[in-house]
Each structure stands twice: as C-alpha cells, then as structure tokens.
Amino acid sequence: MIVPPHATRVLLILTVTFVFYLLVMDYILYSRMQNYSIRPIKSEKNYDGKLACDIDPFCVVTVKALVLDYPNLYILSPLAAVVDHVLHISKSWTLITPNAISGFHVLVAVLAGYFVSSRSLCERRIGVILFEFRTWLDDLDGHVARMRKHITGERSDVGSAGYWVDGICDGLGCIALMVGVYFFVTKNPIRRSYDKLPKILPGLESQDISAEIINKNMRKRFAWSKVLLISGHLMIASVGWNRYISLYQNVLEADNTLLGIPKDELYIRQSEIMRSGFFWVVAVAWRLINFHSTMDYLLIAIFLDRLWVYSKLLKWFGYIVPLVVIYITEFHYLQTYAYVMRGSTEFAVTQETRNITALPNF
C-alpha cells in the first residue's frame, strides 16, 4: 500500500503534536510532585487544581497513575470522568454496574476482532477504533467503581471481585483481538516471503495435494507463530506490570499504624521515593511497555497496515526490553522496600526470616 505524501505529512504533524502534549503533561506532573504534597505531610503544600479531582490527572498522585500508559492517564481516564459528570452514571444509573460495563466491552472487543480479521484496510481501521472504544469503556468501569467506593485517584483494588472480573474481561478482549489478527494473517501472507515460496513443495508433485492446500497450511502455521509471539509479549508486560503495581502500592501507599513507624516519617520516606529520579525512570519505562501500551502499539501497526514490521521488531526486542525493565524494577523495589520499611516490625520479621533461611544445614 502506497501512502499519499499529504497523508504522511498529516500523520507526522499529529504524531509530533501528540508527543509534545505528553512531554508538557509529564513536566506539569513532575513539577506538581516536587512542589506539592504526595502523601499527607503537614509541612507541605496541598495541591489545589482548577478542575474536579477525578478529572484532573495531577490531583491525586498514585503508583498506578504513574505507571499508567499515556493515552489512559492524560486522555481516556479524564474523558471517562467528564462523561460521568455529564451523565451521572456513578450516582444515578445504579443498574449499570462496573462489572456490566466490563462485560459489555468484551462484546465490543469481539466485534473489533471481527473487523480486524478483514482483508479490507478500511474495515481493519474500524476494528482498531472499536477496540480503542473498548479501552475507554475499561477506564469508565474503573472510574464508576472508584466513585461508588469513594476511592480517590487511580488505584488497583487487588484481590477484590471487581479486580478479577476486570482482569478476566481484559483478557477476553485481548483474546478476541488476537483471534482477529490470526484470521487476518491466514488471509494475508507476509509480503516478500510467501511470494518466494514454491507453489508445490519438492517431492509432492505426484501426490494428490493441491498447491492451495499447502500454502493454506503454511499460512496457518505462520499465523500461529505470529500470534504466539505477540501474545507472549503481551503476557510478560501484563504480569510484570500488575505485579509491580501491587508491590509498590503496598509500600508507597501504606497507611498502617501497626508497622512500628511514625506516620509522618512513613509519609516522608514514601514521598522521597516517589520524587526520586530513579523511581521516575522506572515509572516512565512501565508507561511505555505496560499491557495497555503494547496493545496500543499493536493497534497502531494494524491501523497503518504495518503488522509485519511490528512482528519483526517484536522478534528482536519484544522480550528483551520487558525483561530488562523487570530486572531494573525488581532491584529498585527491593531498595525501596528496605528504605521505606526500615525500622518497621514487618521489615524486621522479613529480615529475620531471610537470615534463618540463609543459615547452612548441619
């Protein structure tokens, strides 16, 4: 497919504008974290924005917000809050539960997968738009759940029924999209590769096997390899991202008086970590490679008809980059836990357990 020059220029301008917008928003967020309180510390100024707190992405700084992908943090989540303010879904539409919204966005994902499987680029682009609408619905169900539970800021209610329902629905939506990708690949063999394959394999000329059947089987095997490659990348990003959200929330958003640390001291330590450059690097890295971001990259590749290029990049970088980020994050988390929990009863018990485990057996 040849892209017209004017379309390329428009796409480039939009991309540069979007990146500039994200950089500006990140600068505002970083400045807000440095100049206003993150945890409730009496000696620090409280942030007072002009927008409603659930719309303003800078109002409440949480671990999940800091590692959330850029479109969700700065566009889709505020948009979900605006729609809720206009329609009063969380307050008045009691029959519409967060789980019902989650179930509905699975149906939207199935429809998106159907369009993505099409030979028509226009229909595939409709599928991409539908899946982005599904992503917005995912933001809406989280917003409605937090509003009804009176939870401020982006947080994962790890272990709750809603947490598991949302995770299962996200997984089903991802499967629906990957099924669409599979059928698309089986219909459209990779360029510059299958065109060079012989129509009849050597040694099979005399057998009652048509070239069409052979090529169809080849495309199916190729489609499975691509789907597994992309799915494995998504799985690593998802598992790592959810793991570190849970771990960091337990340390950096802990508010437990049973830890044996004075609350003021605990809040100061947590704020110091969240303001540090190392934590900011870890957070930005996860913004760029988390589950939602990797889904966005896949959708962009489908929209631009560059799925083959994307799969080739994944082959070389799709597993190395997430594993490197996981290694760095694990190192940072252990340092964070040791610093924040220093002197707490929980930390003392953990250290004692490690020492006992490390003793040699005689």
Side-chain angles (χ1 to χ4, degrees):
M1 176 185 174
I2 299 176
V3 181
H6 68 276
T8 303
R9 287 195 296 270
V10 170
L11 182 62
L12 180 61
I13 292 172
L14 291 175
T15 302
V16 172
T17 303
F18 181 64
V19 172
F20 179 74
Y21 168 74
L22 297 182
L23 291 175
V24 171
M25 296 295 280
D26 260 3
Y27 174 77
I28 297 173
L29 176 60
Y30 183 79
S31 299
R32 176 258 181 272
M33 291 174 62
Q34 300 299 321
N35 298 319
Y36 298 95
S37 63
I38 299 174
R39 302 292 284 154
I41 300 174
K42 295 178 181 178
S43 60
E44 295 184 348
K45 295 185 295 183
N46 291 326
Y47 176 80
D48 185 17
K50 297 180 180 179
L51 299 174
C53 199
D54 57 332
I55 298 176
D56 189 349
F58 313 119
C59 183
V60 180
V61 177
T62 64
V63 169
K64 185 175 181 181
L66 292 175
V67 299
L68 198 63
D69 61 296
Y70 284 103
N72 269 302
L73 178 61
Y74 294 137
I75 299 174
L76 298 180
S77 288
L79 181 60
V82 169
V83 170
D84 186 37
H85 274 264
V86 173
L87 301 179
H88 307 289
I89 298 173
S90 59
K91 294 181 180 179
S92 302
W93 299 22
T94 54
L95 293 178
I96 299 181
T97 64
N99 290 343
I101 299 174
S102 297
F104 177 69
H105 71 56
V106 173
L107 299 179
V108 176
V110 171
L111 185 61
Y114 170 77
F115 278 101
V116 165
S117 68
S118 173
R119 289 179 180 271
S120 167
L121 178 59
C122 180
E123 291 187 4
R124 293 200 300 276
R125 286 175 172 171
I126 292 174
V128 169
I129 294 171
L130 282 171
F131 201 87
E132 283 297 336
F133 176 61
R134 182 222 74 90
T135 303
W136 177 78
L137 288 173
D138 189 28
D139 279 280
L140 181 63
D141 70 41
H143 174 80
V144 172
R146 289 190 298 273
M147 292 297 291
R148 290 181 180 174
K149 291 183 178 180
H150 306 289
I151 298 174
T152 58
E154 289 279 354
R155 287 184 173 86
S156 290
D157 190 9
V158 180
S160 66
Y163 175 84
W164 290 111
V165 169
D166 186 62
I168 292 171
C169 289
D170 283 348
L172 292 175
C174 179
I175 291 172
L177 181 67
M178 295 312 301
V179 169
V181 170
Y182 169 79
F183 283 109
F184 165 71
V185 176
T186 57
K187 297 174 187 176
N188 301 271
I190 188 169
R191 286 100 169 162
R192 302 177 186 175
S193 178
Y194 278 97
D195 293 342
K196 298 180 181 179
L197 291 174
K199 293 185 177 180
I200 301 294
L201 294 178
L204 294 179
E205 292 87 345
S206 59
Q207 298 183 20
D208 188 21
I209 301 178
S210 67
E212 182 180 354
I213 294 176
I214 295 172
N215 289 333
K216 184 177 180 181
N217 290 334
M218 286 182 175
R219 289 197 296 269
K220 285 184 177 180
R221 289 196 295 269
F222 177 77
W224 272 114
S225 67
K226 292 302 176 187
V227 167
L228 291 175
L229 175 70
I230 297 171
S231 299
H233 174 66
L234 290 169
M235 182 66 69
I236 292 175
S238 177
V239 172
W241 185 59
N242 283 288
R243 164 183 163 78
Y244 290 112
I245 286 177
S246 178
L247 290 176
Y248 276 112
Q249 278 187 171
N250 290 338
V251 175
L252 297 179
E253 296 177 11
D255 194 17
N256 192 347
T257 55
L258 299 178
L259 291 176
I261 307 174
K263 270 193 175 183
D264 290 342
E265 178 63 25
L266 177 63
Y267 293 156
I268 290 172
R269 294 180 192 179
Q270 291 169 334
S271 298
E272 286 178 357
I273 291 294
M274 296 181 77
R275 288 179 175 131
S276 67
F278 197 173
F279 180 73
W280 186 263
V281 169
V282 170
V284 170
W286 278 109
R287 285 190 197 183
L288 296 174
I289 70 156
N290 68 35
F291 173 77
H292 295 291
S293 293
T294 51
M295 288 299 296
D296 286 339
Y297 301 149
L298 174 60
L299 292 171
I300 291 172
I302 295 171
F303 190 88
L304 298 178
D305 197 24
R306 294 293 183 270
L307 185 61
W308 314 119
V309 177
Y310 177 70
S311 63
K312 188 174 182 180
L313 289 173
L314 277 189
K315 183 178 179 181
W316 295 104
F317 303 107
Y319 290 81
I320 295 175
V321 173
L323 290 175
V324 170
V325 173
I326 287 173
Y327 175 80
I328 295 172
T329 307
E330 188 70 22
F331 173 79
H332 179 264
Y333 167 73
L334 292 175
Q335 297 296 317
T336 296
Y337 182 84
Y339 178 72
V340 174
M341 296 297 180
R342 185 181 68 247
S344 71
T345 53
E346 180 181 344
F347 182 71
V349 171
T350 304
Q351 288 295 97
E352 183 178 353
T353 304
R354 289 177 181 173
N355 293 335
I356 293 174
T357 306
L359 289 176
N361 296 322
F362 293 99

